[in-house]
Amino acid sequence: MSIQQPPDHGATTFESPVSSTGAATVSNGAQSKKQPPPEKPSDVRRRSHIILAFWLIVLCLGLPIWWRTTTIYRADLPVQEMLDWADGKACRPVFPLRISIQANALQEQEAQNLLRLTQHALDDLNDFSGHHLRLQLAPPAATENHDSESVLTIRLVPGDTTTAKFDPHEPMLDITYPPNAIPSPTSSSSSLATYVAGQLRSTFAEEQATISHLLSTNAIPSEHRPQGLSPDVSESLSKRTTRSVKYAPTYHLTFSLFTSGPLPSSWDIDGAINEYMKPVLDVLSPIHNFTIDTQVQLYAAPGVHSQVLNKEDLSSFINAAEWPLSPSIGGAPTINFIVFVGNQTIAAPSQGPGEGDDAPGSASHSWLIPQWGTVYLLSLPDDTTRLSSEALKQPLLTFTSHLLSLTGTPQSGSLPLRLSTLARIRSADLLLRASSTLGSLARLALALPSISIPSRVADGVSKTMHHLRLACETLGGPEGLAHARIAEAEAERAFFEKSMVGQLYFPDEHKIAVYMPLLGPVAVPLVMGLLNELKAWRKRRREAAEQGAGKKKE
Amino acid sequence: MDGAKVTPGRTAGLYVGAAVLRLAIFTLLPGLPDLLTGRVEISTPVTSFKRLQEGLFLYNHNVSPYDGGVYHQAPLFLPLFSLLPSFASLPIFTYLLYIAVDLLSASALWKIADSGEAGSSALFTSSRREKRWSGFVIAAVFLFNPFTVATCIGRSTSVFTTCAILHAIAKAVAGAPLGAMVALSFASYLSMYPLLLLPPLVLLCYDRQRPERATKSSLQFAGICASIVAGVVAILFQMSYFITGSWEFLPSTYGVQLTLSDLAPNVGLWWYFFIEMFDSFRSFFLAVFWLHLSSYVGGLTVRIRRQPLVVMTLLLGIFAIFKPYPSISDTSLFLALVPLYRHVFPLMRYTFVSAAVIMYASFLGPAFYYLWIYAGSGNANFFYAITLVWGLGKSLLVCDLMFAVLRDEWEVERPEMAGKEIRQI
């Protein structure tokens, strides 16, 4: 032990409490410092063993454990491909829209000619290559029924004047034309063809604008990007986007009945939803899933008590502190539909343009709260105890139309057309979203070389790309939408992998802060002990060599 | 204190006195046992009596006791405690069991003290060995130590580990290696960490072998001892497997100690650290903490080769500071062995400081815990700070004892330096 060691031998961790004899007891000034007696060889050997015992643990157990527990697993990601998707190089979103024309009253050749002219007129009007309308002649046999392959069927019917009317239940456009409007086979232009082209163009203008708005806000190279979106169009589009709820695969619909007094205490909401809302929910089901719950709250005080509600009052009408409106249940965003039974009315000018429902019957009963839901004011006779399904008809119809605008459905055109447009917009939106998520993930993986990438993420990425490819091929159709939905969900899951998010803000420099406080103090005695021991060993060897040399000399 | 003749009457008096004290507390203060059972200083997730009852309830209803993740103790406790009459109706039998275990520990300690191993081992004889306390005094110090009494009243299952460790040492001192190894296997089976005591215990057994049947080769002896421990532990595991019907108990008992999955506060240093730890470094630092705990074994065993009992005492002190779920029961075991070194007490330099720090921490600890958990006027840092002080006090004591023992060795080597001031160079 170190008690007898020469001064240049430092003490190892364990030897620290043991000290050497005080050579300081110098009684005689002339006497120089007393040297401690030489160390015994057994003590020297023992000290080496102690140091060895510690270092063996560090080297044989510590290092392998350190290596095993801190190596970062990085699954291989097809980074370049992912970036290609994000830059729009992998897929060019093209929506070939087939429109069939039923012209049973026309001769085959006349119809062909009209079709050719209309297509010319359309091509002249269209400036966006991604959104392409292609006309085709429906076989005469297929009368009356809508062809499922095409998005819109135009029925040309002879009549007195040129009119256009949408069928309310089927994606059909009835166009009547005067007999003299049929172009002759030789003519290069026709008023009817121009009219039809103009009708089609205005029908799809909104969809086209929306999709080009989507593409322009995403990182799509400029050659695919449509030109000439006027600022006001794009402004109204972004306004509509801000009004609609953020896209989610599932929405949670909450129907709440708030009454200012004790009555009505029950409502036939089940029947009303089944009757008035279910059809629209069914149509929306390829795009969104919906979960529904309902609640009734009596004696609910609104946030504003004035009899007539001004526009300013509407925003504070919801009594967020007392009404049990949970922001979101189980991760899905909630859309709230509130029927408030009371005697308050909305002041007429409060109805802003484009805000709320403009139907004359319900003009002053309801308003839409962007990204949140709808409030409907219902005034009832005082003694109503149960709201019947009929009484709920008007509120629910309002809610349905608001639900459509909250989900981002375009506003023009007939309902079937609006819904199919919504499906196309959604597929484009999801495709772009998933692509940009992939791009972010790839950039993240490149930017942080120390982040771990679990194999689940790699799985998610390959699934995403598979479905993206399929979606890109079948864009515009129902499978395209389904694939885009899967791709988006997988991409989100891969990006928000739990173990990666935690490491996102963990730069390498922090590792010093992690390792140093504990391992630093531990390492100092270990390393110092080893160094001292090595020094002593070298000194002993040198002395032994000198002694050997001296002996040889003798 | 020493020199007094120990008559059988005095022995019986001591044991009866300790038993009566505990019984009196159990019966006269019926609220106290449950209060102490809930204290974090006494009950850790791996020793709590409450959790034992939960496991027992599940076991008696033919559900795996480890379902629900509450019970983290060895499976063999379950048949033992279900043999006793139900705790709810007849708690006296449980009390008697705990009192008996404490008395057994004390008798083992008595044997260790009377053997004189602390003062003169096979390879080393202290010049101060005459000045020592008798087994009676040492057993009394153990039995009436408030930490021991509190552990017994709190019915922490760590008393069984304490008893097994003390018996392992007593058997080793008595020259019965087989008994020592079996006792150590039981201790390791119950709490896992006593396995680290194997190297010094083997040395102690080797040094104290009976001459008539001594194994000469130390390696051979160590091999035999290690295989005895491995065999007994394997048998215990097999029995546990038969009792619980699966190997689920391994991750639930030892896995919890290894991975510290239950971060309930205790008087140790681990829980706070791992609450704050980054998840990606958790496994690495778990390994570091365990390596730190076990790294002392080799160095100490080599350094104080001539006095293996000292090594075990120091290691028990280190375990009481650095193990994952320490409680005051570990401290009471360490404090039980310290009086064996009465002869080096004059060489210790910080007895007052370490005694004061330990007492300071044991009074303020509960107060700070109360401030944090119940009063809400403190936070976790309060309690962690006081456990740091508690650890500091114990490490002062460990270091001081080590210093005194080494100084004692050195004075034997160089008698002319006895009593002189020393200085580290």
Side-chain angles (χ1 to χ4, degrees):
Chain A
M1 193 46 194
S2 57
I3 289 165
Q4 289 149 329
Q5 71 192 2
D8 59 339
H9 287 237
T12 56
T13 351
F14 267 91
E15 293 155 305
S16 53
V18 182
S19 317
S20 174
T21 49
T25 51
V26 182
S27 53
N28 195 338
Q31 197 182 351
S32 70
K33 219 176 162 189
K34 206 165 89 185
Q35 283 299 314
E39 259 186 312
K40 281 189 290 186
S42 68
D43 286 349
V44 174
R45 209 166 44 242
R46 189 171 60 192
R47 195 172 53 243
S48 331
H49 285 163
I50 295 170
I51 292 173
L52 189 72
F54 281 101
W55 274 99
L56 270 183
I57 288 186
V58 170
L59 294 178
C60 298
L61 293 171
L63 276 186
I65 287 175
W66 172 74
W67 183 253
R68 261 192 69 86
T69 52
T70 57
T71 42
I72 295 160
Y73 177 75
R74 280 175 76 91
D76 272 337
L77 291 183
V79 174
Q80 194 48 50
E81 236 179 300
M82 288 157 74
L83 288 175
D84 285 351
W85 274 103
D87 297 341
K89 290 181 201 153
C91 170
R92 189 175 158 218
V94 174
F95 296 87
L97 299 184
R98 292 212 320 220
I99 295 164
S100 53
I101 295 184
Q102 282 180 12
N104 295 337
L106 291 181
Q107 309 245 319
E108 172 84 21
Q109 201 185 353
E110 279 175 337
Q112 285 289 2
N113 190 33
L114 179 66
L115 190 137
R116 184 175 52 79
L117 286 175
T118 317
Q119 184 75 57
H120 269 306
L122 268 180
D123 291 349
D124 286 347
L125 285 171
N126 197 358
D127 50 4
F128 177 27
S129 59
H131 195 263
H132 192 66
L133 301 177
R134 191 171 302 128
L135 299 178
Q136 66 179 21
L137 204 56
T143 47
E144 300 302 315
N145 285 331
H146 168 63
D147 176 11
S148 64
E149 286 282 295
S150 51
V151 290
L152 181 68
T153 307
I154 298 175
R155 259 192 309 225
L156 287 175
V157 186
D160 296 335
T161 52
T162 317
T163 58
K165 194 165 100 24
F166 278 108
D167 187 308
H169 303 299
E170 296 268 322
M172 283 201 180
L173 181 63
D174 292 315
I175 292 184
T176 59
Y177 57 91
N180 59 350
I182 302 297
S184 63
T186 51
S187 69
S188 60
S189 69
S190 140
S191 61
L192 180 61
T194 320
Y195 180 76
V196 171
Q199 281 295 325
L200 285 173
R201 164 110 176 113
S202 64
T203 304
F204 288 104
E206 189 176 7
E207 175 181 348
Q208 202 174 339
T210 311
I211 286 176
S212 52
H213 179 72
L214 271 179
L215 294 184
S216 68
T217 50
N218 278 284
I220 295 294
S222 50
E223 64 261 30
H224 300 314
R225 200 175 282 177
Q227 315 293 320
L229 260 188
S230 65
D232 52 329
V233 171
S234 102
E235 192 191 330
S236 81
L237 278 172
S238 56
K239 198 171 168 190
R240 212 177 68 211
T241 335
T242 44
R243 185 194 303 170
S244 62
V245 185
K246 190 178 173 300
Y247 169 80
T250 305
Y251 287 128
H252 187 76
L253 308 183
T254 301
F255 293 89
S256 314
L257 174 67
F258 292 115
T259 67
S260 54
L263 293 173
S265 57
S266 68
W267 56 341
D268 185 20
I269 188 68
D270 262 356
I273 288 175
N274 277 333
E275 196 169 339
Y276 306 117
M277 204 160 197
K278 198 83 190 358
V280 175
L281 295 185
D282 286 343
V283 176
L284 284 173
S285 67
I287 310 174
H288 302 287
N289 300 324
F290 293 98
T291 55
I292 294 174
D293 74 344
T294 64
Q295 60 179 350
V296 178
Q297 171 106 342
L298 306 180
Y299 294 110
V304 181
H305 290 284
S306 58
Q307 183 63 39
V308 177
L309 300 171
N310 296 319
K311 191 176 179 185
E312 298 75 50
D313 297 336
L314 298 183
S315 56
S316 52
F317 185 80
I318 303 293
N319 189 348
E322 287 173 23
W323 291 1
L325 301 166
S326 61
S328 111
I329 299 168
T334 304
I335 300 179
N336 291 285
F337 296 115
I338 294 175
V339 177
F340 185 80
V341 179
N343 49 7
Q344 282 160 312
T345 52
I346 302 174
S350 72
Q351 206 75 322
E355 291 280 332
D357 195 62
D358 289 332
S362 62
S364 49
H365 288 304
S366 69
W367 68 96
L368 184 149
I369 300 171
Q371 304 195 358
W372 194 83
T374 299
V375 181
Y376 193 98
L377 297 179
L378 194 64
S379 53
L380 288 172
D382 282 344
D383 54 349
T384 319
T385 56
R386 183 176 170 82
L387 269 178
S388 66
S389 174
E390 287 76 53
L392 285 168
K393 178 178 179 181
Q394 199 49 50
L396 276 182
L397 291 181
T398 313
F399 290 160
T400 307
S401 84
H402 284 185
L403 175 67
L404 286 178
S405 56
L406 282 169
T407 52
T409 317
Q411 282 169 326
S412 60
S414 70
L415 184 63
L417 207 58
R418 285 166 66 190
L419 289 174
S420 73
T421 303
L422 177 64
R424 283 191 294 279
I425 292 173
R426 273 294 165 231
S427 15
D429 183 25
L430 291 173
L431 185 80
L432 294 171
R433 236 178 242 262
S435 306
S436 85
T437 307
L438 275 188
S440 309
L441 183 59
R443 281 193 295 278
L444 179 73
L446 288 178
L448 297 177
S450 62
I451 197 169
S452 80
I453 299 175
S455 53
R456 285 190 300 276
V457 172
D459 282 355
V461 167
S462 69
K463 252 187 225 165
T464 307
M465 298 219 286
H466 174 70
H467 285 288
L468 273 182
R469 223 167 283 130
L470 291 175
C472 192
E473 283 162 15
T474 54
L475 209 55
E479 311 106 81
L481 178 63
H483 286 307
R485 278 183 75 174
I486 299 172
E488 202 262 354
E490 287 290 339
E492 293 289 310
R493 196 173 307 146
F495 187 76
F496 289 106
E497 166 70 34
K498 216 171 68 190
S499 60
M500 281 171 63
V501 175
Q503 274 181 298
L504 204 53
Y505 305 106
F506 195 82
D508 273 350
E509 302 87 69
H510 283 194
K511 280 186 186 156
I512 298 173
V514 170
Y515 285 131
M516 281 315 281
L518 183 64
L519 298 188
V522 172
V524 168
L526 275 178
V527 172
M528 289 310 289
L530 185 69
L531 286 182
N532 280 329
E533 196 55 29
L534 285 177
K535 221 159 55 183
W537 177 72
R538 266 177 47 196
K539 196 179 162 199
R540 279 199 304 276
R541 266 193 53 174
R542 209 170 47 233
E543 278 168 4
E546 275 168 13
Q547 270 182 10
K551 260 183 194 167
K552 240 177 214 172
K553 249 183 196 170
E554 280 172 18
Chain B
M1 280 176 102
D2 52 352
K5 184 110 176 93
V6 179
T7 61
R10 283 187 70 193
T11 314
L14 172 66
Y15 287 157
V16 169
V20 165
L21 170 71
R22 287 160 168 74
L23 262 184
I25 296 176
F26 274 132
T27 48
L28 296 182
L29 302 167
L32 193 62
D34 287 331
L35 175 78
L36 289 181
T37 305
R39 298 297 309 181
V40 286
E41 296 89 347
I42 295 166
S43 295
T44 64
V46 292
T47 58
S48 160
F49 184 66
K50 247 187 194 168
R51 290 171 186 254
L52 175 70
Q53 281 176 301
E54 167 79 10
L56 204 57
F57 181 86
L58 293 175
Y59 173 71
N60 287 334
H61 288 75
N62 280 329
V63 181
S64 165
Y66 298 102
D67 279 359
V70 171
Y71 182 60
H72 301 303
Q73 298 164 44
L76 285 185
F77 279 130
L78 300 171
L80 171 69
F81 278 89
S82 42
L83 278 179
L84 294 176
S86 158
F87 176 75
S89 52
L90 284 170
I92 187 75
F93 287 96
T94 311
Y95 297 155
L96 288 178
L97 174 71
Y98 274 89
I99 292 170
V101 170
D102 257 16
L103 297 184
L104 276 177
S105 306
S107 82
L109 196 59
W110 193 315
K111 278 181 216 152
I112 299 167
D114 279 351
S115 74
E117 167 74 21
S120 65
S121 64
L123 301 175
F124 173 79
T125 303
S126 167
S127 55
R128 303 168 178 259
R129 67 182 179 284
E130 292 313 321
K131 198 175 179 189
R132 66 187 180 96
W133 282 335
S134 67
F136 175 81
V137 174
I138 289 171
V141 167
F142 171 71
L143 283 176
F144 294 101
N145 181 347
F147 292 149
T148 318
V149 177
T151 310
C152 180
I153 304 299
R155 291 154 300 169
S156 153
T157 52
S158 54
V159 297
F160 294 93
T161 313
T162 303
C163 184
I165 292 174
L166 286 175
H167 272 276
I169 300 174
K171 289 284 179 197
V173 168
L178 180 67
M181 290 305 141
V182 171
L184 185 75
S185 312
F186 269 92
S188 311
Y189 168 77
L190 296 179
S191 303
M192 190 170 80
Y193 77 91
L195 196 61
L196 292 173
L197 293 174
L198 183 63
L201 190 69
V202 168
L203 287 179
L204 185 61
C205 290
Y206 182 71
D207 289 350
R208 300 287 293 212
Q209 287 181 95
R210 294 204 185 106
E212 64 269 17
R213 43 175 182 174
T215 314
K216 278 284 162 280
S217 157
S218 54
L219 276 180
Q220 193 188 345
F221 185 79
I224 293 172
C225 285
S227 44
I228 292 171
V229 170
V232 176
V233 169
I235 292 169
L236 289 173
F237 279 173
Q238 200 62 48
M239 283 164 69
S240 311
Y241 175 73
F242 282 131
I243 288 167
T244 57
S246 73
W247 292 110
E248 195 190 353
F249 71 91
L250 286 179
S252 296
T253 54
Y254 309 112
V256 166
Q257 298 213 26
L258 282 175
T259 60
L260 204 81
S261 43
D262 195 324
L263 285 172
N266 54 47
V267 293
L269 308 174
W270 287 47
W271 61 276
Y272 190 84
F273 200 85
F274 283 97
I275 285 175
E276 305 283 332
M277 178 54 62
F278 291 112
D279 269 353
S280 48
F281 286 100
R282 193 186 152 83
S283 48
F284 172 66
F285 274 96
L286 276 174
V288 167
F289 271 52
W290 269 107
L291 282 184
H292 170 249
L293 187 62
S294 44
S295 66
Y296 292 106
V297 176
L300 275 180
T301 311
V302 173
R303 177 62 191 92
I304 319 180
R305 162 69 188 91
R306 289 183 290 180
Q307 304 184 67
L309 186 60
V310 173
V311 178
M312 300 189 65
T313 308
L314 294 176
L315 280 179
L316 285 173
I318 289 170
F319 294 161
I321 304 167
F322 292 120
K323 69 183 262 221
Y325 292 109
S327 66
I328 60 167
S329 132
D330 302 289
T331 311
S332 78
L333 174 58
F334 175 56
L335 292 182
L337 290 171
V338 168
L340 293 174
Y341 302 96
R342 168 72 185 87
H343 58 285
V344 298
F345 278 8
L347 297 172
M348 290 169 73
R349 297 177 296 181
Y350 307 115
T351 35
F352 173 72
V353 178
S354 48
V357 168
I358 286 180
M359 279 164 66
Y360 168 85
S362 33
F363 284 112
L364 273 190
F368 277 20
Y369 187 76
Y370 178 84
L371 281 186
W372 170 32
I373 296 292
Y374 301 102
S377 51
N379 57 20
N381 300 338
F382 271 60
F383 185 61
Y384 188 61
I386 204 70
T387 61
L388 281 178
V389 175
W390 170 250
L392 176 77
K394 280 188 290 183
S395 41
L396 263 181
L397 189 57
V398 170
C399 290
D400 212 15
L401 182 64
M402 184 155 42
F403 168 81
V405 166
L406 290 176
R407 164 98 200 207
D408 186 39
E409 276 194 6
W410 177 69
E411 283 186 357
V412 168
E413 241 167 65
R414 301 188 59 195
E416 77 276 9
M417 302 305 284
K420 290 204 178 134
E421 200 188 328
I422 55 162
R423 189 168 61 86
Q424 186 179 1
I425 50 174

